[in-house]
Amino acid sequence: MASIPHDAVHGGHGHDDQHDHHPTGIKRWLTTTNHKDIGSMYLWFSFTMFIVGGIMALIIRAELFQPGLQVVNPEFFNQMTSLHGLIMVFGAIMPAFVGFANWMLPLQLGAPDMAFARMNNWSFWLLPPAAILLVTSMFVPGGSVAAGWTMYPPLTVQQGIGMDLTIFAVHILGASSIMGSINIITTILNMRAPGMTLMKMPMFAWTWLITAFLLIATMPVLAGAVTMILTDRHFGTTFFNAAGGGDPVMYQHIFWFFGHPEVYIIALPAFGVVSQILPAFSRKPLFGYHSMVYATASIAILSFIVWAHHMYTTGMPLAGQMYFMFATMLIAVPTGVKVFNWLATMWRGSITLETPMLFCLGFLFLFTMGGFTGLVLSLTPVDIQLHDTYYVVAHFHYVMVAGALFSAFAAVYYWGPKWTGWMYDEKLGKIHFWWSLIAFNVTFFPQHFLGLAGMPRRIPDYNLQFADWNAVSSIGAFAFGTAQIFFLYIVIRMIAGKSGVRAPAKPWDGAEGLEWTVPSPAPYHTFETPPVVK
Amino acid sequence: MKSVNSASNSWRSGASALSTRVLRAATASLALLPLYASADWKLNLQTPASAVAAEVYDVHTLITVICAIIFVGVFGVMFYSLYAHRKSKGHKAAQFHESATVEAVWTIIPFFILLGMAFPATKALLHARDTSASDITVKVTGYQWKWGYDYINDGFGFVSNLSTPLAQIKNAETKGENYLLEVDNPLVVPVGKKVRLLLTANDVIHAWWVPALGVKQDAVPGFIRDTWFRADRPGVYRGNCAELCGKEHGYMPIVVEVKTQADYDKWVATQKDKAGVGKVAAAVVDTKTYSRDELVAHGKTIYEGAGGCQGCHQANGKGTGAFPALDGSKLVNGPKDAQINILLNGKPGTAMAAFKHLSDKDLAGVMAFTRSTWSNKAAEFAQPVDFAKARNGGVLPASAGAATATAAPAQAPATAPASSALAEKIFFATGKKDLPAEAKASIDAALAFLKGKADSKVEITGYTDKTGDVAANLELAKERAKAVRDALVSAGVARERINMKPPAEVTGGKDNREARRVEINAGA
Amino acid sequence: MALSRLISFANKQMLGKLAVFTAIMFAFGFALVPIYKKICEVAKVNDFMRPEQVKNTQVDLSRKVRVEFDSNIRNLPWTFKPEKTSIEVHPGELTTVVYEVHNTTGRAMTGQAVPSYGPTEAADHFRKLECFCFTAQTFKASETRQMPVVFLIDPKLPRDVSTITLSYTFFEMPGAGTPSTQAPAGKLETNMVGTPRQAS
């Protein structure tokens, strides 16, 4: 993605901006305001963090391969689980989808660039310092945050200086996300090509519009919550300390007010990607476009009123437990609508199974499974039994990995030819899919059994009765990890043009949208004269 | 309802046994995996041992089955479509892309399925949340990283620690069947009785969880939460802390031993005995005759410490404000009966409270101390037995003499009593060997004692509580004692006058604070 | 180009609106604190730090409720005990119980007691007229003090609640000492990467 031959297609545009004599080398990337450059940087950053977080996951799985302590000590184990969560959520998944948004939204909407090109550069360059803060916090006295990615006090008040670094990192990541979201909202609302009404927008733009609103509504709340931890730690406030009239459970309320919409911040753009790719490879328009938009919006709204289903065991009043149970179950309705619409899109289509389509089908299959375990967990009495067990770990990995990550892979294979000008190697792509799919299930399906049998999450060691499934899960994890190195190889081959097949402007015959009207690779500047959509 | 329940119960055992067998057969071929004696590829929730756990089991089974049926149905359609509507088979794409009817149908039908699921779940929830009419109440306190249990109706309590040896965790020994799920003191409850749990935590949030009993409740510091369970049958049920609480979160298991009522009653009696519940007033009367010096030395510790006398009457005995001086007091220097009376019963209408909760020896000590200190030089003093008589209307209680040797109150730590006027204790923070700020008073007392008699010596003994690595604890105990010795040496005491004595016994109090100490006693 | 200037103006306006919205949401995060307290107050969860006005003092002689008393100490070298661990009262009956605190140290210390109820629903019906938890309590060196709690149980208490637990936790007042912020040493030796062995 880094090798966009922009110089070849550049020039001839009598333009008054800085792109005409942009610097080269590292300086180019530091100062670029081009949405395609920034999109690429987001994607590379995301993949780097995905590998870092993945190594942490493998350290966790290595320790859990057998009962007893073999690889790390319990403190370091807790740091790994906490950082793995934070890095994967804030460093890998979210930037990946922001990267897709940067690359594709202007192309899909017929806009020349993002609305605030300079701010776009800032929002990317905030990410590396935040990542460095997170990773280096492992090396300060006391180590990094070891209280889980949810950072519940009072445990976080006990932590060392690594916690402060984490809080600052979260602040910076939050600022980056907010700037990115403002940019996306403005681009979508103000910069669409003439004739492209909101209800003609591609689904990917729709899901991102809603996601961006979720982000600016919730990231500031998270920033507030961690700021309160910071002041509780150092400035004598007692937001979460019963001694001063505070309440540790209040943090959980504030955190999950952010945290539950965050789940959809991750999932909705993935839905958007799937809604682009399924019709393309079914050669049939998306079924129920309008109800898809409404379903997405209702999921977003519902996500604000269900947060306390993460807290059934904290001791809330019975009425609260019942309310949150019913409200949570309700989310299954719009989610179901989406799944049914996708199936109806495929129904009586003319289906081919290229790699992007395979990853979408994998997404559909596994995400639905994660949705069903989510339904099981929404039931308060069952959740009380399963809360904080490996069942929950399995559930959210089905939603996050099989959901968000698989759709991100699908997006790379689907749009990659547009970015690089070369097709990827279809055979390798399919191997990547099957390898990932099987390894993923070997890793995470047994974790349902572990959770049901009574294994809590976030423990470095366990009773012998859990040994077998943990060993299976660890083997799967290493296989899944290697598959992603293989993915890197496929992408590098694609960039280098090793497949030998140049991508046409529209490599997928069923694909729709403005992005396929520009040549592949996409020129450095596109749509300087807005296209007209009828 | 009843028939539905029993039907689903039998279904449960049948179906899960079948699926377990099938899956076992399928997985048994994975022979390359490390296999352990007790490992058995568990697939489902633990066998319920309470009605709530059984309800949860049934709801979970029901919902999982419904979800599985829908899943198979929906993805059956998808796979059919993938098979039949492929381009390679020459299928031409239809171009429909909307149908209000169909979309309405698959919005409304799931809604009703959800309603059907909510019904049994709500029923189970209402049952699980009903904490009324309990038979016994146990307070559960989460500590980093152990559980405290207090039987608040019976007046005793204990701490429950992981009992798995470190060598097993470090893979130096073969792991036992209950590896990491075993404790030194399990929670013991009677079968078939509603046990109400009150949960709180001392430091961070913990969660008390026993899967087979269907209980999980967070323990939040500063707040109390309640939950309950009723065990169906005797047995041992195991669980873990379920809320990340720091580095040893994985090492604070919960073990519940469910006994028959008779066994439970026996157990309670033993525990009460151990804790000394109900013994204070009647059981043991200390009839030993003490020397005046012994009583004065003991009384000094009470006056300054547990008795709390010094708080009002001051260390110099001069009193303050409304609190009268004891130095030169007529009462203190007068007949002993009047002082015995006021110590036991207080003085109504004033701030002088009754101190009858102190032991006879404590009170006799305080009396001897006040009569021998400052300018007071009353000839008369009382023996503990005098207090025992005064408590009992002037006559010696019938049980007197049964246990003359054990004069110390039951809850006092089992350490050697001071043989002369020095018995200082310095308490340390967990794992720490540096002298706390409060230590100065004790050091000063030791210095004063050594100054008082030129040939006197002191004995210093360091202690730790009994949790943790034994060797490391011994080392820490020594370091603590050394810290105290160094303080004395740097204050000018000759080393020959300080004996370092190893601890005879390491104990752990409830919060263990009293255990982590250095004692300075008068030495031989 | 006129169009691009127009868009850029609209964009700036949008930026302003969205930035204001973000700022509002940040403030909302903090506003959740008082909102949460208000909700707890209305729902009578975790808000028991004020004396209550009692209107209805009719005693319901037809039933008795067992009230259990519990005490916790956190990071304070004190002893803190209820005089009785449980009593039986009629709803509506004014009752006084005594807790005793002893400061085992040789220095003055201040603590704040925080009450809590089990079951949480009972909190709505437990009325304290006087309580040592309404203010911070200072204890002189080695001082022992008996402190009363005067309460009654609202006769409207649901019939199925037969036991209520009143639990207090005494905290050292922040600022009045140095609360421990270090995790305590544990029982598990964790020297796999060279940390010293833990002892207690």
Side-chain angles (χ1 to χ4, degrees):
Chain A
M1 282 163 272
S3 69
I4 302 145
H6 50 89
D7 294 321
V9 293
H10 186 247
H13 304 278
H15 222 267
D16 58 353
D17 65 16
Q18 66 274 40
H19 300 307
D20 276 330
H21 25 75
H22 46 76
T24 49
I26 182 78
K27 213 165 165 211
R28 166 192 167 188
W29 297 104
L30 280 171
T31 57
T32 182
T33 56
N34 180 286
H35 73 101
K36 300 181 182 82
D37 282 356
I38 293 172
S40 299
M41 289 197 294
Y42 263 109
L43 291 171
W44 281 114
F45 172 81
S46 151
F47 190 80
T48 312
M49 295 313 282
F50 175 60
I51 296 299
V52 173
I55 289 169
M56 291 173 174
L58 293 185
I59 292 172
I60 294 168
R61 285 313 323 171
E63 177 54 58
L64 292 173
F65 181 58
Q66 289 189 329
L69 289 179
Q70 289 91 7
V71 183
V72 293
N73 65 35
E75 277 159 300
F76 192 70
F77 183 89
N78 288 345
Q79 295 178 19
M80 287 294 101
T81 54
S82 311
L83 282 181
H84 166 73
L86 285 167
I87 285 177
M88 285 304 200
V89 168
F90 294 107
I93 297 290
M94 286 169 66
F97 283 95
V98 179
F100 296 137
N102 262 295
W103 246 107
M104 300 318 297
L105 284 180
L107 288 180
Q108 289 192 324
L109 300 171
D113 203 314
M114 298 294 280
F116 308 106
R118 178 64 56 194
M119 189 163 86
N120 206 12
N121 173 289
W122 297 339
S123 51
F124 173 75
W125 281 109
L126 283 177
L127 292 179
I132 290 166
L133 276 181
L134 273 182
V135 174
T136 50
S137 71
M138 282 194 294
F139 305 106
V140 299
S144 73
V145 56
W149 84 280
T150 52
M151 301 178 282
Y152 283 3
L155 190 55
T156 36
V157 177
Q158 281 183 351
Q159 307 262 300
I161 191 166
M163 185 64 208
D164 301 316
L165 299 183
T166 306
I167 291 172
F168 292 135
V170 169
H171 278 144
I172 296 171
L173 291 163
S176 160
S177 290
I178 290 165
M179 281 157 63
S181 302
I182 289 177
N183 220 335
I184 287 169
I185 295 172
T186 314
T187 307
I188 294 177
L189 292 184
N190 287 359
M191 312 253 308
R192 295 190 311 279
M196 182 175 280
T197 59
L198 282 176
M199 280 318 225
K200 276 188 191 163
M201 282 199 310
M203 269 314 284
F204 182 66
W206 254 116
T207 52
W208 246 118
L209 177 64
I210 292 166
T211 303
F213 272 110
L214 282 180
L215 270 168
I216 58 169
T218 59
M219 286 310 279
V221 176
L222 174 69
V226 294
T227 306
M228 287 182 228
I229 291 186
L230 189 73
T231 58
D232 268 15
R233 282 167 59 80
H234 298 298
F235 305 109
T237 57
T238 55
F239 288 109
F240 309 129
N241 181 354
D247 183 349
V249 176
M250 183 172 67
Y251 172 83
Q252 300 182 22
H253 282 288
I254 302 175
F255 179 86
W256 287 112
F257 183 85
F258 146 81
H260 199 74
E262 170 68 20
V263 173
Y264 296 100
I265 287 168
I266 288 170
L268 292 184
F271 293 171
V273 168
V274 171
S275 302
Q276 301 286 153
I277 297 177
L278 278 178
F281 294 92
S282 305
R283 289 162 186 81
K284 197 166 153 278
L286 181 69
F287 184 86
Y289 175 90
H290 288 88
S291 61
M292 281 304 228
V293 172
Y294 301 140
T296 309
S298 25
I299 290 174
I301 291 163
L302 283 174
S303 75
F304 279 104
I305 57 165
V306 297
W307 75 91
H309 67 222
H310 298 267
M311 303 167 54
Y312 286 143
T313 63
T314 56
M316 69 175 85
L318 176 64
Q321 289 184 331
M322 288 180 37
Y323 161 74
F324 283 107
M325 171 164 85
F326 299 143
T328 305
M329 293 177 82
L330 219 49
I331 291 192
V333 174
T335 314
V337 167
K338 293 199 127 234
V339 172
F340 295 136
N341 280 353
W342 286 324
L343 292 186
T345 304
M346 289 159 63
W347 188 253
R348 292 179 51 211
S350 179
I351 299 169
T352 50
L353 295 175
E354 286 90 345
T355 312
M357 182 65 168
L358 286 178
F359 270 107
C360 278
L361 296 174
F363 161 90
L364 205 54
F365 192 73
L366 299 176
F367 181 83
T368 306
M369 243 152 82
F372 277 126
T373 52
L375 186 60
V376 170
L377 288 169
S378 74
L379 306 169
T380 313
V382 182
D383 180 77
I384 287 174
Q385 184 74 295
L386 296 177
H387 176 70
D388 269 335
T389 67
Y390 260 86
Y391 191 89
V392 175
V393 175
H395 157 70
F396 68 70
H397 281 95
Y398 266 79
V399 177
M400 301 261 175
V401 178
L405 187 64
F406 273 35
S407 97
F409 288 147
V412 170
Y413 288 113
Y414 181 61
W415 284 316
K418 176 60 60 192
W419 302 333
T420 63
W422 294 96
M423 297 305 286
Y424 60 88
D425 188 323
E426 190 63 53
K427 200 201 273 168
L428 298 185
K430 283 185 172 153
I431 294 174
H432 176 224
F433 168 71
W434 287 108
W435 188 350
S436 294
L437 181 82
I438 293 167
F440 171 82
N441 281 296
V442 172
T443 311
F444 292 105
F445 203 77
Q447 295 186 359
H448 291 114
F449 304 142
L450 288 172
L452 288 168
M455 178 169 165
R457 66 193 282 204
R458 295 167 170 164
I459 59 172
D461 196 0
Y462 47 81
N463 183 261
L464 305 183
Q465 62 175 314
F466 307 124
D468 306 317
W469 287 128
N470 269 304
V472 172
S473 180
S474 292
I475 290 169
F478 278 88
F480 190 76
T482 349
Q484 307 328 318
I485 303 300
F486 183 59
F487 169 65
L488 178 65
Y489 169 72
I490 297 173
V491 170
I492 289 174
R493 269 181 61 100
M494 169 162 65
I495 293 169
K498 282 282 156 65
S499 67
V501 186
R502 286 203 175 269
K506 185 176 164 186
W508 318 113
D509 59 319
E512 301 261 350
L514 288 177
E515 71 256 47
W516 308 112
T517 63
V518 300
S520 299
Y524 199 62
H525 295 293
T526 39
F527 295 129
E528 292 184 297
T529 313
V532 177
V533 180
K534 287 184 198 96
Chain B
M1 264 309 101
K2 210 165 194 103
S3 65
V4 172
N5 253 336
S6 63
S8 68
N9 272 325
S10 65
W11 186 88
R12 180 172 72 223
S13 49
S16 72
L18 179 70
S19 63
T20 309
R21 233 175 294 139
V22 170
L23 269 145
R24 265 191 205 153
T27 49
S29 52
L30 293 163
L32 73 157
L33 299 173
L35 290 165
Y36 295 90
S38 62
D40 52 358
W41 304 99
K42 282 204 176 77
L43 299 173
N44 205 343
L45 290 162
Q46 294 184 11
T47 316
S50 76
V52 169
E55 276 173 40
V56 168
Y57 193 113
D58 291 344
V59 172
H60 173 258
T61 308
L62 177 72
I63 305 300
T64 306
V65 168
I66 294 175
C67 288
I69 292 169
I70 299 174
F71 190 82
V72 169
V74 168
F75 284 90
V77 171
M78 184 181 97
F79 282 114
Y80 174 77
S81 181
L82 285 183
Y83 167 76
H85 305 148
R86 265 205 326 255
K87 194 186 177 196
S88 56
K89 296 188 66 165
H91 194 270
K92 290 272 178 302
Q95 286 303 314
F96 67 86
H97 59 90
E98 229 155 6
S99 162
T101 329
V102 175
E103 287 169 55
V105 164
W106 63 45
T107 311
I108 292 164
I109 290 185
F111 187 80
F112 284 101
I113 297 177
L114 290 174
L115 272 186
M117 290 176 170
F119 180 72
T122 308
K123 211 174 125 260
L125 177 62
L126 290 175
H127 186 198
R129 283 297 302 256
D130 174 19
T131 52
S132 64
S134 62
D135 297 302
I136 65 167
T137 304
V138 181
K139 185 179 142 196
V140 180
T141 311
Y143 300 89
Q144 280 174 321
W145 292 275
K146 59 197 174 216
W147 292 98
Y149 298 112
D150 287 290
Y151 288 70
I152 58 178
N153 309 124
D154 291 314
F156 65 88
F158 50 83
V159 169
S160 180
N161 275 296
L162 175 76
S163 63
T164 300
L166 197 60
Q168 288 189 16
I169 297 171
K170 293 292 184 71
N171 309 308
E173 273 175 23
T174 318
K175 294 173 174 51
E177 190 198 346
N178 296 316
Y179 175 68
L180 297 186
L181 293 177
E182 50 201 348
V183 297
D184 51 0
N185 300 307
L187 174 71
V188 178
V189 297
V191 68
K193 289 288 161 68
K194 187 163 184 173
V195 180
R196 179 165 165 261
L197 299 176
L198 294 168
L199 297 109
T200 188
N202 187 53
D203 27 52
V204 301
I205 302 175
H206 302 269
W208 198 88
W209 178 37
V210 179
L213 298 172
V215 219
K216 184 186 287 147
Q217 175 61 55
D218 287 6
V220 183
F223 297 94
I224 196 140
R225 305 283 193 232
D226 65 344
T227 187
W228 66 278
F229 65 88
R230 189 199 301 270
D232 285 344
R233 49 183 189 278
V236 180
Y237 304 100
R238 297 166 198 276
N240 296 71
C241 175
E243 180 67 58
L244 179 61
C245 57
K247 79 171 165 5
E248 288 174 32
H249 164 56
Y251 302 90
M252 50 183 293
I254 294 143
V255 178
V256 180
E257 211 177 316
V258 179
K259 290 181 187 277
T260 60
Q261 186 67 45
D263 286 348
Y264 173 73
D265 291 341
K266 247 184 266 168
W267 179 82
V268 168
T270 331
Q271 293 298 314
K272 279 187 173 172
D273 218 37
K274 251 200 239 168
V277 177
K279 269 199 267 184
V280 177
V284 179
V285 172
D286 187 356
T287 52
K288 192 180 161 196
T289 304
Y290 291 88
S291 76
R292 183 164 185 146
D293 280 351
E294 278 175 317
L295 287 175
V296 168
H298 180 66
K300 181 174 169 17
T301 66
I302 303 298
Y303 185 87
E304 292 169 351
C309 318
Q310 179 174 280
C312 299
H313 297 293
Q314 303 298 307
N316 57 12
K318 299 273 189 238
T320 173
F323 309 114
L326 300 182
D327 188 11
S329 150
K330 254 192 257 165
L331 182 91
V332 175
N333 292 299
K336 65 178 181 182
D337 286 348
Q339 197 183 359
I340 289 172
N341 181 46
I342 202 167
L343 280 169
L344 278 174
N345 301 319
K347 190 168 174 188
T350 71
M352 180 64 191
F355 282 88
K356 59 184 166 205
H357 55 275
L358 294 179
S359 75
D360 295 340
K361 189 189 169 195
D362 292 347
L363 291 170
V366 168
M367 191 160 152
F369 172 74
T370 54
R371 285 171 176 250
S372 320
T373 316
W374 314 302
S375 62
N376 295 347
K377 285 186 180 60
E380 202 176 29
F381 67 100
Q383 288 292 338
V385 71
D386 294 323
F387 281 87
K389 280 186 200 159
R391 284 181 203 264
N392 202 32
V395 294
L396 197 62
S399 59
T404 47
T406 55
Q411 62 268 43
T415 53
S419 58
S420 183
L422 182 70
E424 290 294 332
K425 285 181 191 163
I426 300 168
F427 300 122
F428 286 71
T430 305
K432 290 275 171 355
K433 61 180 182 190
D434 3 350
L435 282 184
E438 301 92 89
K440 192 176 180 308
S442 300
I443 302 286
D444 288 345
L447 290 173
F449 170 82
L450 287 164
K451 219 182 207 173
K453 273 195 255 169
D455 59 346
S456 59
K457 286 183 177 178
V458 291
E459 253 172 33
I460 297 178
T461 310
Y463 295 83
T464 63
D465 61 33
K466 64 180 176 188
T467 59
D469 182 85
V470 173
N473 274 343
L474 270 177
E475 193 56 40
L476 178 64
K478 207 194 264 174
E479 288 301 321
R480 283 172 176 167
K482 274 188 191 158
V484 173
R485 181 192 67 189
D486 294 347
L488 288 174
V489 170
S490 64
V493 177
R495 287 222 176 192
E496 310 83 74
R497 298 181 70 186
I498 306 170
N499 286 335
M500 303 288 276
K501 200 175 137 194
E505 191 192 356
V506 175
T507 55
K510 179 169 171 282
D511 56 6
N512 287 346
R513 187 177 168 272
E514 264 117 33
R516 297 180 294 268
R517 66 188 185 276
V518 168
E519 293 190 7
I520 315 175
N521 292 315
Chain C
M1 199 157 60
L3 180 66
S4 74
R5 221 174 297 132
L6 213 69
I7 284 180
S8 139
F9 176 73
N11 287 356
K12 277 181 190 147
Q13 233 181 0
M14 177 77 70
L15 173 69
K17 281 185 211 161
L18 294 173
V20 168
F21 181 68
T22 307
I24 290 172
M25 286 313 292
F26 186 70
F28 176 73
F30 283 88
L32 281 173
V33 176
I35 291 172
Y36 178 79
K37 289 206 171 123
K38 191 73 203 165
I39 290 172
C40 289
E41 205 177 299
V42 172
K44 293 292 294 182
V45 183
N46 299 347
D47 178 68
F48 325 113
M49 310 287 278
R50 266 188 284 280
E52 305 205 44
Q53 302 303 314
V54 177
K55 292 183 193 102
N56 184 353
T57 50
Q58 293 238 305
V59 179
D60 177 2
L61 290 172
S62 68
R63 62 171 170 152
K64 280 189 163 182
V65 176
R66 189 168 78 196
V67 184
E68 296 170 337
F69 303 98
D70 176 48
S71 58
N72 303 283
I73 284 281
R74 203 171 151 212
N75 290 340
L76 269 175
W78 294 3
T79 61
F80 175 42
K81 278 195 189 71
E83 195 181 49
K84 294 182 192 124
T85 55
S86 76
I87 56 171
E88 298 219 323
V89 296
H90 295 292
E93 183 182 357
L94 200 63
T95 312
T96 305
V97 292
V98 173
Y99 274 80
E100 189 183 271
V101 171
H102 169 57
N103 176 1
T104 61
T105 66
R107 64 192 166 103
M109 294 184 85
T110 303
Q112 168 73 53
V114 177
S116 181
Y117 301 91
T120 6
E121 285 84 350
D124 203 5
H125 304 278
F126 200 97
R127 313 232 176 275
K128 294 188 301 299
L129 286 80
E130 195 189 324
C131 177
F132 52 87
C133 59
F134 296 152
T135 56
Q137 301 284 339
T138 302
F139 287 81
K140 283 178 289 207
S142 304
E143 181 180 355
T144 302
R145 192 154 76 219
Q146 267 135 6
M147 301 182 302
V149 180
V150 182
F151 70 92
L152 61 78
I153 290 166
D154 193 320
K156 290 194 207 92
L157 180 78
R159 290 232 152 226
D160 59 336
V161 179
S162 54
T163 308
I164 299 178
T165 305
L166 169 59
S167 172
Y168 288 100
T169 304
F170 244 115
F171 291 89
E172 177 158 12
M173 277 298 276
T178 43
S180 143
T181 53
Q182 288 301 306
K187 58 194 170 284
L188 182 76
E189 163 189 26
T190 55
N191 57 349
M192 306 203 69
V193 291
T195 41
R197 288 201 292 173
Q198 298 297 328
S200 49

